Amino acid sequence: MKNGFVYDPLHGIDGQKMDVAVKNGKIVESVDEHKVTTIDASRMIVMPGGVDIHTHIAGAEVNSGRLLRPEDHYKDIERKTSITRSGVGRSIPSTFTTGYRYSRMGYTTIMNPSMPPLEARHTHEELNDTPMLDKATYPLLGDWWFVLEYIAQNNIKECARHVAWLMKSTKGYAIKIVNPGGLEAWGFGHNVKNLDDQVPHFCTTPREIIRGLCKTNKLLNLPHTIHLHTNNLGKPGNYQTTLETMKCVENLAADNKPVIHITHCQFSAFKGDDWGTLQPGSEEIASYVNTHSHVTMDMGQIIFTDTTTMTADGPFQYDLYGLTGNKWINHDVETETSAGIVPFRYRRKSYVHAVQWSIGLELALLIKDPWKIFMTTDHPNAGPFTFYPKIIGWLLSKKAREATMRRINPRARSQSLLPSIGRELSFYEIAVVTRAGQAKALGLKNKGHLGLGADADIAIFDINPEKTDPSRKYKTVRKAFRKAAYTIKDGEIVSKNGEILKHVDGATMWLDVKVNEPARITDDIKKRFKEYWTVEYENYPVTEEYLKKSNPLPVEAKV
Ligand SMILES: [Zn+2]
């Protein structure tokens, strides 16, 4: 790639004109120019391939969503070409379509954040079928019975060994926690309301679960922090819970390193006593994050469109069903976690939805350090990932925000902090929030940057930053981010100007956690697998052969 404007924030490169050379799927110092394919990238932006830290694209929950919503399919058809397969789906696209659409936007790596351990096999089957991308998935552990028991006994070492076993067994990448304690309570039709509520039958609390798994994460040396969907998500007044959650692991942080990732924070930044008095809690959250270094988060930005909400937070989805009266699914396999799916439309004229829209952007703009908050829609919860270019427009341009603001609910507009925020992200900062920051937070050493030896996953966008002022020309910029001029995966051009040129599978990354002492598996534990679940202990693990293209990442644990 010759003469592109390169944005590589992990190396501090901010739009300098440079060449990038690639050989055997890696970034190299130089290549023999007579024997290579050259891309003239002058007048274009070159970035590392996009990385999505949180997107629901695979597994039983997503697939149930597909079943629930035929109307989502026939609205949107992906035609077959000589290279690609056909597909359907707008907010819950089929697997192949998902891969193609990410690739067209210059993305090369995604993280699927919500995998009940028993559904690991299904999740990997779908990830195997999702081309063009490297991927990984997070097992849900915040309500896993053995974890709750070890935490109640304060036996963090054994908890860590057990999690290591489970991470390997499910071929997972990070510890996912959803409404800690709440999912277990939901098995009895209840929920937990604050960090110190008792989890029924387990003698523990959400606070202890979060802290216990945070310590577990550190003992295991996992590359990413715990990945947390807070208690009380989606409820007015929940910004307090979010602040408390961040505070509760404050003293576990060391060396200014993050120990917790709060996912789709928009849904957890509500002030007010009820929907009528809802207000943004973004200022309070941003001011906490600005003065602490142990937290990262992602936006969960609302898009005004029709979408499908889905989360392991069963009690929340039940409430959402109550609010909307829409059809819904309460999905659960053998009470390991819980899950709900509800179709949803975010409306500009709705006071609540417009406040939510504002909160996501306020968080992204008020949090000063872009390495702390990343761009997501919690696909498909706040909107389909295909709307990312629209969010990039809002982040880059106050004018773009004002254009949307003019059309939203007037009372929400008067509550919004956005008119007082002049900040506009630069292309460099966009590269942080869409790739470099996410890769760093995930501990992905070879991704999110263009240094020597990095994976040659690259996106080139047809924007000349010397000629284009994104603040004014946000529509032009949006268009360029919608269809990357080139997407390069492992050194090969896989898509060009929105057309898929080559099918590649992409690898599934998982953590091969090496512990000094294996998890203690007693006859009692085995007996409980037999009694409580239809899959016995021995049959639980997903073997490596099950993955189409396996990329185990070794981790040396401290237990
Ligand atoms: Zn999510």
Side-chain angles (χ1 to χ4, degrees):
M1 282 136 276
K2 299 212 43 112
N3 288 319
F5 296 95
V6 175
Y7 292 86
D8 181 5
L10 279 163
H11 293 101
I13 297 171
D14 183 6
Q16 279 137 266
K17 275 217 158 204
M18 291 171 78
D19 298 346
V20 178
V22 162
K23 195 178 180 179
N24 298 331
K26 300 281 176 191
I27 309 275
V28 293
E29 181 88 54
S30 61
V31 282
D32 179 351
E33 293 198 18
H34 301 291
K35 294 184 186 164
V36 295
T37 311
T38 307
I39 296 174
D40 175 12
S42 56
R43 300 181 294 278
M44 294 200 212
I45 282 179
V46 178
M47 287 184 184
V51 178
D52 197 337
I53 198 167
H54 191 109
T55 173
H56 300 262
I57 61 153
E61 174 188 70
V62 176
N63 213 36
S64 302
R66 294 188 186 111
L67 287 171
L68 180 69
R69 302 211 63 197
E71 72 278 12
D72 189 72
H73 310 328
Y74 61 67
K75 263 187 219 160
D76 188 3
I77 292 159
E78 178 85 26
R79 286 186 195 286
K80 179 183 182 317
T81 69
S82 58
I83 294 153
T84 62
R85 292 177 51 157
S86 60
V88 289
R90 195 181 152 280
S91 65
I92 336 153
S94 40
T95 50
F96 287 88
T97 299
T98 301
Y100 303 146
R101 289 184 179 175
Y102 262 112
S103 186
R104 284 186 188 121
M105 298 194 306
Y107 274 77
T108 48
T109 303
I110 63 91
M111 298 280 155
N112 185 67
S114 187
M115 171 173 69
L118 256 181
E119 289 167 359
R121 225 167 268 275
H122 181 168
T123 306
H124 285 295
E125 281 165 6
E126 290 198 15
L127 289 177
N128 284 344
D129 261 0
T130 306
M132 322 303 285
L133 303 164
D134 288 332
K135 47 243 160 182
T137 176
Y138 313 150
L140 287 153
L141 290 167
D143 285 78
W144 176 253
W145 287 339
F146 295 102
V147 163
L148 297 187
E149 285 179 11
Y150 287 129
I151 287 174
Q153 296 156 11
N154 200 21
N155 188 351
I156 302 300
K157 281 191 176 161
E158 199 48 42
C159 181
R161 293 182 191 115
H162 188 88
V163 168
W165 171 77
L166 202 72
M167 203 57 78
K168 267 176 110 159
S169 298
T170 60
K171 300 288 173 282
Y173 189 85
I175 296 176
K176 176 75 185 294
I177 309 170
V178 170
N179 184 4
L183 306 194
E184 178 53 30
W186 180 239
F188 303 91
H190 304 300
N191 198 354
V192 290
K193 290 198 171 59
N194 68 61
L195 287 191
D196 298 310
D197 263 9
Q198 283 292 316
V199 181
H201 310 295
F202 279 94
C203 294
T204 188
T205 62
R207 183 188 302 278
E208 285 167 6
I209 298 171
I210 297 166
R211 285 182 56 83
L213 282 171
C214 190
K215 290 178 194 164
T216 296
N217 205 82
K218 291 179 86 180
L219 277 180
L220 292 177
N221 260 330
L222 304 187
H224 185 34
T225 61
I226 52 171
H227 193 99
L228 182 95
H229 158 135
T230 63
N231 296 108
N232 290 326
L233 178 136
K235 294 196 182 135
N238 66 10
Y239 82 106
Q240 295 278 18
T241 311
T242 307
L243 288 173
E244 265 184 68
T245 303
M246 295 189 286
K247 276 181 200 156
C248 97
V249 291
E250 223 178 271
N251 68 351
L252 298 177
D255 318 323
N256 289 330
K257 286 207 180 112
V259 292
I260 190 168
H261 180 85
I262 307 279
T263 192
H264 37 70
C265 190
Q266 172 272 129
F267 288 112
S268 301
F270 298 171
K271 217 159 130 180
D273 302 321
D274 51 34
W275 294 117
T277 57
L278 182 76
Q279 282 190 335
S282 21
E283 218 167 2
E284 287 80 355
I285 289 185
S287 87
Y288 181 87
V289 175
N290 282 337
T291 50
H292 293 81
S293 51
H294 67 290
V295 188
T296 58
M297 48 180 55
D298 62 271
M299 291 165 74
Q301 175 61 38
I302 293 285
I303 307 291
F304 295 117
T305 188
D306 179 73
T307 193
T308 311
T309 67
M310 53 180 66
T311 148
D313 197 342
F316 166 69
Q317 290 292 70
Y318 176 71
D319 289 346
L320 200 59
Y321 149 72
L323 272 174
T324 60
N326 286 345
K327 59 183 175 179
W328 82 301
I329 290 181
N330 189 181
H331 174 99
D332 197 337
V333 177
E334 306 196 2
T335 62
E336 269 192 344
T337 67
S338 69
I341 302 142
V342 185
F344 204 84
R345 177 179 279 277
Y346 294 103
R347 295 172 194 276
R348 282 185 187 81
K349 297 296 174 204
S350 151
Y351 172 69
V352 170
H353 304 170
V355 170
Q356 286 186 271
W357 170 80
S358 187
I359 290 175
L361 291 170
E362 287 164 16
L363 286 168
L365 296 164
L366 291 173
I367 293 174
K368 291 177 193 145
D369 182 355
W371 297 91
K372 288 180 176 174
I373 180 158
F374 315 125
M375 190 186 80
T376 65
T377 57
D378 184 20
H379 165 82
N381 282 295
F385 68 83
T386 42
F387 284 85
Y388 283 169
K390 200 151 195 165
I391 307 176
I392 292 176
W394 287 324
L395 293 173
L396 284 169
S397 162
K398 189 165 200 282
K399 272 202 167 59
R401 301 197 286 271
E402 283 166 356
T404 306
M405 192 96 83
R406 278 194 287 277
R407 300 170 62 201
I408 66 171
N409 176 289
R411 192 157 74 89
R413 187 164 56 224
S414 69
Q415 301 281 357
S416 173
L417 304 173
L418 290 177
S420 66
I421 303 172
R423 183 172 172 207
E424 294 176 325
L425 265 57
S426 62
F427 286 124
Y428 182 84
E429 288 174 314
I430 291 294
V432 176
V433 303
T434 57
R435 45 259 292 153
Q438 314 216 15
K440 187 180 174 206
L442 288 162
L444 292 169
K445 298 252 178 313
N446 299 325
K447 301 202 178 288
H449 69 97
L450 299 172
L452 297 185
D455 293 343
D457 294 351
I458 303 164
I460 304 180
F461 299 104
D462 191 2
I463 305 164
N464 182 343
E466 280 181 347
K467 297 259 165 68
T468 315
D469 171 10
S471 176
R472 285 190 303 115
K473 296 273 182 192
Y474 62 90
K475 284 186 183 161
T476 314
V477 172
R478 248 173 14 198
K479 206 172 140 206
F481 276 101
R482 222 172 274 143
K483 286 181 183 175
Y486 295 89
T487 304
I488 294 162
K489 178 88 198 73
D490 295 315
E492 295 190 84
I493 300 172
V494 292
S495 104
K496 189 178 171 186
N497 298 324
E499 195 191 335
I500 303 295
L501 298 185
K502 192 175 163 86
H503 173 107
V504 290
D505 278 323
T508 300
M509 302 175 285
W510 57 278
L511 299 183
D512 185 7
V513 186
K514 299 189 194 328
V515 282
N516 303 326
E517 211 180 294
R520 198 163 39 86
I521 301 296
T522 59
D523 287 345
D524 176 55
I525 290 180
K526 286 193 183 179
K527 189 168 148 247
R528 288 162 65 193
F529 269 88
K530 212 183 177 98
E531 278 177 6
Y532 297 149
W533 293 302
T534 48
V535 178
E536 290 184 33
Y537 169 77
E538 287 79 4
N539 293 329
Y540 220 84
V542 177
T543 53
E544 197 177 354
E545 300 77 66
Y546 210 76
L547 309 181
K548 201 171 195 177
K549 205 170 156 192
S550 170
N551 182 10
L553 304 169
V555 174
E556 301 288 339
K558 288 184 261 184
V559 278

